[in-house]
Amino acid sequence: MSTLSTVLEVPAVRTPWKSPLHEMTQTTPTCLWNDSAALEELKYSLEHGAVGATCNPVIVLDVLKQEMQIWRDRIVELIRQLPTATEEEISWRLIEEISATRASLLKPIFDAQRGRNGRLSIQTDPHFYRDTSALVEQAVRFSALAPNMIVKIPVTRAGIPAIEEATARGVSINATVCFTLPQCVAVAEAIERGLSRREKEGLDISTMGPVCTIMVGRLDDWLKVVMEKRNIVTDPGYLEWAGVAVFKKTYRLFQERGYRVRLLSAAYRNHLHWSELIGGDLVISPPCKWQMKFNASDITVADRIGTPVDPKIVDGLLKKFPDFGRAYNEGGIAIEDFDSFGPTARTLRQFIEACHEMSGQIRDIMIPNPEKLLA
């Protein structure tokens, strides 16, 4: 199991489904959400069985780059309507509008599945990762943009109490910036506390649909950085299994404890991040380009969520990578240390940089470069 080829299986006869992903959504409990709100990508994903979509600042920036011809006039109008707004404020108004518009495409699924799916994820401002109150306030605002909105809150020290409070206020949460079993347990316990508070107050939770994301590929990425920086020699195939191993162990624990939150797999780097998780009552959320790769593949759709990762691989990772142990073992990271974990810091920086770049896109319209106007 130390190479990707070990789960490549060529079926004798192709099943009559449209695609492997469509087959998965129709024959297993595993759901597909599209990791983008770009219109054409979302349409493709829905055609292949998707029942939700996720976003983050990087994704919204990409949507804007792809669809500037759609949104430019609206940006100009927002600038005119809000004469004192900063470029950052215009950016977030645009994020809200893009998200609400795309959420409408998923509303029929939301209604049919009573809130379990059919949701569009919108992410809170990553600048707020240290501010519980700001995260809660924005989560409540975003939740009201559409009945089928689900709100991303980062799994940071300030994010855990924000997840509980927002859940208690009726917000369906997608916990993000999450890479480890300890983070997932903290999220699940926070959501349980929030749901219990609502139940005690006699408030409805039947249509709430919380999920907890594990960014499996970003954990793999970090261990590869550590390997290079610290001159660690290991079987390179092992590093493709780190996120999968954490996900599978976390899934087993969630099933045993009966937490009322599903796991979601994100940040795809190889097909194992999909193929090894098939069969679970969970969500996979690949970008459209990975969905196309999976649909063009000859990988058999088979229940693998319960198949353990080779113990030799797990032991090898534990021996050479302390950060894998922190991610894999319950209690490996304290809540107070979530923010300083390598993948957390890297991801927050990327998300914040994407926000700045998006503001730059707005700035070019709000304050056109005079030198370019002379050209």
Side-chain angles (χ1 to χ4, degrees):
M1 293 179 65
S2 63
T3 65
L4 301 188
S5 61
T6 54
V7 296
L8 282 171
E9 305 166 31
V10 181
V13 179
R14 169 60 73 191
T15 55
W17 306 102
K18 285 189 203 176
S19 64
L21 288 177
H22 182 244
E23 179 180 354
M24 178 197 73
T25 64
Q26 300 302 307
T27 63
T28 80
T30 309
C31 292
L32 171 65
W33 289 11
N34 186 53
D35 197 23
S36 170
L39 184 58
E40 293 306 314
E41 293 180 353
L42 182 53
K43 287 180 178 179
Y44 173 89
S45 193
L46 289 169
E47 290 171 358
H48 292 273
V51 290
T54 64
C55 278
N56 61 43
V58 176
I59 291 171
V60 173
L61 176 62
D62 185 59
V63 170
L64 189 59
K65 289 178 178 178
Q66 290 186 48
E67 303 180 3
M68 182 57 80
Q69 74 281 3
I70 297 175
W71 294 101
R72 186 180 180 87
D73 288 347
R74 180 55 182 154
I75 294 169
V76 171
E77 186 177 356
L78 284 170
I79 292 169
R80 181 183 59 78
Q81 290 176 347
L82 304 169
T84 64
T86 65
E87 56 203 34
E88 289 81 9
E89 290 169 334
I90 298 292
S91 292
W92 281 100
R93 282 292 297 270
L94 188 64
I95 287 170
E96 291 179 6
E97 293 195 15
I98 290 173
S99 299
T101 299
R102 301 299 148 80
S104 65
L105 298 176
L106 298 165
K107 182 64 161 51
I109 299 170
F110 175 83
D111 292 337
Q113 299 194 16
R114 292 184 50 79
R116 180 171 174 80
N117 292 300
R119 294 183 180 272
L120 189 286
S121 284
I122 180 172
Q123 184 155 337
T124 48
D125 188 338
H127 292 91
F128 295 161
Y129 77 95
R130 300 173 64 192
D131 189 334
T132 298
S133 296
L135 289 170
V136 172
E137 181 181 348
Q138 195 172 53
V140 171
R141 173 183 170 85
F142 285 172
S143 182
L145 293 174
N148 58 325
M149 206 65 81
I150 186 169
V151 182
K152 286 186 171 182
I153 292 179
V155 186
T156 57
R157 180 170 58 179
I160 294 300
I163 288 168
E164 176 183 343
E165 181 60 27
T167 300
R169 296 193 192 185
V171 179
S172 287
I173 296 300
N174 179 351
T176 189
V177 192
C178 180
F179 319 88
T180 72
L181 186 154
Q183 286 176 294
C184 292
V185 170
V187 167
E189 296 289 350
I191 288 175
E192 288 296 326
R193 291 192 296 270
L195 292 174
S196 295
R197 285 167 57 186
R198 286 187 67 79
E199 288 174 320
K200 288 178 182 177
E201 295 173 11
L203 300 172
D204 183 36
I205 64 169
S206 64
T207 60
M208 295 179 69
V211 298
C212 179
T213 292
I214 301 181
M215 303 177 104
V216 285
R218 287 179 178 265
L219 177 61
D220 296 358
D221 291 347
W222 174 244
L223 296 183
K224 291 172 186 177
V225 170
V226 172
M227 181 178 70
E228 292 298 320
K229 294 289 186 180
R230 297 185 178 169
N231 296 317
I232 297 171
V233 177
T234 188
D235 184 323
Y238 285 17
L239 296 174
E240 307 299 332
W241 288 90
V244 171
V246 168
F247 195 104
K248 288 195 175 199
K249 184 177 181 181
T250 305
Y251 181 79
R252 290 196 302 271
L253 186 147
F254 272 39
Q255 294 298 108
E256 291 167 3
R257 297 184 181 176
Y259 290 134
R260 291 175 288 182
V261 53
R262 282 183 295 171
L263 289 177
L264 181 152
S265 169
Y268 284 68
R269 304 294 186 266
N270 61 60
H271 76 75
L272 301 176
H273 298 150
W274 161 58
S275 59
E276 280 294 311
L277 308 181
I278 295 172
D281 182 13
L282 53 90
V283 178
I284 67 158
S285 184
C288 190
K289 68 177 183 179
W290 277 101
Q291 293 175 50
M292 291 178 178
K293 290 180 182 180
F294 298 154
N295 285 334
S297 75
D298 54 8
I299 299 172
T300 303
V301 173
D303 186 338
R304 299 186 185 89
I305 187 63
T307 304
V309 174
D310 187 338
K312 181 180 177 182
I313 294 175
V314 175
D315 290 344
L317 291 170
L318 287 170
K319 287 177 181 177
K320 296 198 173 185
F321 297 94
D323 277 353
F324 176 73
R326 298 174 76 194
Y328 188 75
N329 294 319
E330 188 168 6
I333 309 179
I335 291 175
E336 293 74 20
D337 298 323
F338 283 175
D339 298 15
S340 60
F341 188 51
T344 302
R346 291 182 94 216
T347 301
L348 286 171
R349 286 176 61 87
Q350 185 184 12
F351 285 176
I352 290 169
E353 287 165 5
C355 288
H356 293 167
E357 187 175 347
M358 184 167 180
S359 293
Q361 297 272 330
I362 303 301
R363 184 185 312 125
D364 285 342
I365 299 173
M366 184 183 289
I367 314 172
N369 185 332
E371 294 180 13
K372 291 184 178 180
L373 295 177
L374 291 174

